[in-house]
Amino acid sequence: MESSDQDTKRAAASRNGASVEPARGARWALVENQILTEATRLFALRGFAATTLKDIADATGLTRPALYHYFANKEAVLARLVSDLTLAPADELAKLRRRRGKSAIERLHAMAFDTALRHATQPERFRVLVRSDAELPSDIAQSYLDGRRRILAEFVAVIDQGVAADELRPLDARTAALGIIGMCTWVAFWYRPTEAGDERAVATQIADMAVASVRNADSRATTASGPARALELLKQDVALLEATLAAEPRPRD
């Protein structure tokens, strides 16, 4: 009975916006993930506006007071999806971009792989977020926009670094970043796993293609960069041409 009274008090505190922090563990994470999964399914089926917290509780097999332990309202569920699918990935991409001892190409590959893998392993959640864009409350919509802008900024930054280091060919970094992000995120709309672990192979192939689309085709080593590098490569080409012509037999008169 005492436990029931505590549950009631916690549920009331959650509804009133108070912080509720019961002990968390493996079961907490399991139930929370189930709530997000069922909410995603309902949002996709009915739309965010037409889905109630009771609908989510019923689909999860929880009472509404029990659900309040995890989320105060359906907006909190949606906010968590936005956080998990844009803000958390932006943080991870920032870490990957700042890796020490890695070339820009290696860091870009890791970032593209991470993005593609997230979309391959949680496609339903990414799809419903895209389709619910117009229904998002203003504060959640702003958070969603901020997360996407941060993701774009991280890709632009590493591409700029790659161009400056002559690892990537000269191009508009923002256009290239948008193209790579589109390639990685579209996985959520077409990928269907055929066997366990298949999503990693798909993410690797997408990352390989992303890097190949911007990589500098001429990977010869030089001591210069920028226009000076182009001039040095041109001199190498002229020297090779002269050596080739000199080695050819001369026609007899």
Side-chain angles (χ1 to χ4, degrees):
M1 187 70 178
E2 180 181 352
S3 175
S4 177
D5 290 341
Q6 289 176 349
D7 287 348
T8 301
K9 290 177 181 178
R10 284 173 178 167
S14 179
R15 287 194 297 270
N16 292 330
S19 175
V20 180
E21 292 293 339
R24 299 188 179 188
R27 185 179 184 282
W28 174 281
L30 185 65
V31 174
E32 189 177 58
N33 184 66
Q34 184 183 1
I35 293 170
L36 292 170
T37 298
E38 291 299 333
T40 297
R41 183 181 64 81
L42 290 171
F43 291 159
L45 183 64
R46 306 177 182 179
F48 175 73
T51 301
T52 67
L53 199 63
K54 184 179 183 303
D55 293 332
I56 298 172
D58 291 343
T60 312
L62 297 172
T63 63
R64 287 183 64 181
L67 186 59
Y68 285 135
H69 289 314
Y70 299 89
F71 298 98
N73 47 50
K74 67 176 183 179
E75 286 76 15
V77 177
L78 195 58
R80 175 59 182 275
L81 287 174
V82 168
S83 177
D84 286 353
L85 302 180
T86 58
L87 302 179
D91 290 340
E92 180 61 24
L93 290 176
K95 293 177 184 177
L96 293 174
R97 183 180 63 80
R98 297 188 182 111
R99 274 184 175 176
R100 296 182 179 274
K102 299 291 184 180
S103 67
I105 286 178
E106 290 173 317
R107 288 178 283 134
L108 176 60
H109 189 280
M111 292 165 67
F113 174 83
D114 182 82
T115 304
L117 184 62
R118 287 177 186 271
H119 284 74
T121 53
Q122 295 184 315
E124 298 87 358
R125 296 186 184 183
F126 281 100
R127 290 199 301 265
V128 77
L129 197 55
V130 170
R131 291 167 178 166
S132 300
D133 196 359
E135 294 185 83
L136 297 179
S138 59
D139 56 334
I140 299 179
Q142 186 59 52
S143 180
Y144 183 40
L145 179 61
D146 291 343
R148 287 182 295 166
R149 284 175 173 171
R150 285 179 54 199
I151 289 171
L152 175 60
E154 294 299 336
F155 274 98
V156 168
V158 75
I159 291 171
D160 273 334
Q161 292 166 4
V163 171
D166 291 312
E167 296 178 47
L168 307 181
R169 54 191 175 84
L171 40 68
D172 180 79
R174 187 174 185 276
T175 301
L178 288 169
I180 290 173
I181 291 171
M183 184 188 304
C184 295
T185 57
W186 192 246
V187 172
F189 291 88
W190 61 260
Y191 171 69
R192 297 293 181 273
T194 55
E195 59 184 49
D198 185 50
E199 64 274 0
R200 297 189 68 85
V202 170
T204 297
Q205 183 173 343
I206 293 294
D208 289 346
M209 294 167 60
V211 169
S213 70
V214 294
R215 188 168 194 162
N216 194 335
D218 195 334
S219 58
R220 286 178 290 170
T222 68
T223 57
S225 61
R229 180 177 187 276
L231 183 58
E232 187 172 332
L233 290 174
L234 182 59
K235 289 178 179 178
Q236 290 180 21
D237 290 338
V238 171
L240 176 62
L241 178 61
E242 290 176 341
T244 302
L245 292 174
E248 289 186 354
R250 295 183 178 180
R252 296 181 178 179
D253 295 337

